[in-house]
Amino acid sequence: NAGVMQNPRHLVRRRGQEARLRCSPMKGHSHVYWYRQLPEEGLKFMVYLQKENIIDESGMPKERFSAEFPKEGPSILRIQQVVRGDSAAYFCASSPNPPRGGQPQHFGDGTRLSIL
Amino acid sequence: ELKVEQNPLFLSMQEGKNYTIYCNYSTTSDRLYWYRQDPGKSLESLFVLLSNGAVKQEGRLMASLDTKARLSTLHITAAVHDLSATYFCAEGGATNKLIFGTGTLLAVQP
């Protein structure tokens, strides 16, 4: 029973390059959330998606960041023209239905992004 | 701005002692979550608290929720070294997003 799968676990990019982070939710889960964790800080919400729809992107920077969750395949968080400040751990979480039902979000192991 | 505050930020305690971590949140949410994170690892769900007065216990950890005071507590009883980790509370936001506190780094000394 695979959990939330994220890849890669570690990603190194130079300033100006693009970073693509992938997330496959738990089987049967159709809600995906992306969070960013800076060193020594808590997680900050970025975006909430269902299949083919962005539900809430209020935590996503307006420029350079985008997210998608296509009908087939994993959810992708894309960062264009990366800068040093993008260095962080990016976590994906999934849930089977809106958490109002009391279900916790299940987290992947994260992608540690380092910008040189 | 929605805010979740935890205290203390860092807690060093001896094995066998008791202590409480406090989590204050700013909205009228009725959903409060506690997670544990080990260094370099993901977040593990500990408790989901859904109503005023909710109390849940698992081993040496007990969590409670007071929605009127907008306060949740995580009580540690007779701490052991294996409990060393960072503990986060998170409030369930309007569109299902989680709003996390700053975390409490717990170090249990032998």
Side-chain angles (χ1 to χ4, degrees):
Chain A
N1 209 7
V4 178
M5 304 297 291
Q6 287 189 250
N7 70 82
R9 290 294 307 277
H10 300 274
L11 182 61
V12 180
R13 285 287 178 265
R14 296 189 180 279
R15 281 179 293 171
Q17 290 184 320
E18 179 180 288
R20 281 189 180 229
L21 288 62
R22 293 175 185 76
C23 169
S24 296
M26 283 182 73
K27 190 175 180 181
H29 287 195
S30 57
H31 299 246
V32 165
Y33 314 81
W34 285 94
Y35 295 87
R36 176 164 64 177
Q37 185 178 32
L38 295 171
E40 312 290 326
E41 293 188 12
L43 281 75
K44 296 283 193 292
F45 167 79
M46 299 182 74
V47 63
Y48 164 33
L49 310 104
Q50 294 179 30
K51 285 284 186 182
E52 301 183 277
N53 287 307
I54 296 175
I55 307 303
D56 181 353
E57 56 182 347
S58 58
M60 194 98 100
K62 294 285 183 282
E63 296 179 352
R64 301 187 299 109
F65 285 72
S66 62
E68 62 177 9
F69 189 14
K71 189 176 179 182
E72 302 290 338
S75 175
I76 307 284
L77 179 66
R78 183 180 176 211
I79 312 172
Q80 295 179 288
Q81 299 174 334
V82 295
V83 300
R84 288 239 169 94
D86 296 334
S87 295
Y90 291 82
F91 288 94
C92 171
S94 71
S95 67
N97 49 44
R100 196 160 290 282
Q103 299 277 345
Q105 292 178 15
H106 297 268
F107 283 80
D109 287 339
T111 294
R112 271 80 182 166
L113 175 64
S114 298
I115 309 302
L116 302 179
Chain B
E1 182 189 327
L2 299 177
K3 221 173 174 186
V4 178
E5 293 184 340
Q6 283 181 242
N7 72 83
L9 298 182
F10 177 70
L11 177 55
S12 178
M13 56 192 297
Q14 286 186 312
E15 281 191 327
K17 298 289 188 185
N18 305 332
Y19 211 84
T20 301
I21 299 170
Y22 297 90
C23 173
N24 288 93
Y25 57 96
S26 62
T27 74
T28 55
S29 174
D30 58 358
R31 289 175 287 129
L32 199 291
Y33 303 82
W34 284 96
Y35 284 88
R36 168 184 171 145
Q37 185 181 37
D38 291 295
K41 302 289 187 182
S42 184
L43 281 79
E44 174 192 353
S45 175
L46 295 175
F47 300 108
V48 179
L49 302 167
L50 297 177
S51 60
N52 186 42
V55 176
K56 290 195 174 178
Q57 182 162 6
E58 181 73 35
R60 299 174 188 274
L61 301 178
M62 184 173 70
S64 66
L65 179 63
D66 180 344
T67 56
K68 291 178 183 175
R70 299 182 188 174
L71 171 68
S72 180
T73 60
L74 181 66
H75 187 72
I76 302 148
T77 302
V80 293
H81 181 68
D82 285 353
L83 289 179
S84 297
T86 299
Y87 292 85
F88 291 99
C89 65
E91 176 186 10
T95 57
N96 311 318
K97 64 189 177 191
L98 294 179
I99 302 155
F100 281 85
T102 46
T104 296
L105 175 58
L106 173 65
V108 181
Q109 312 294 342

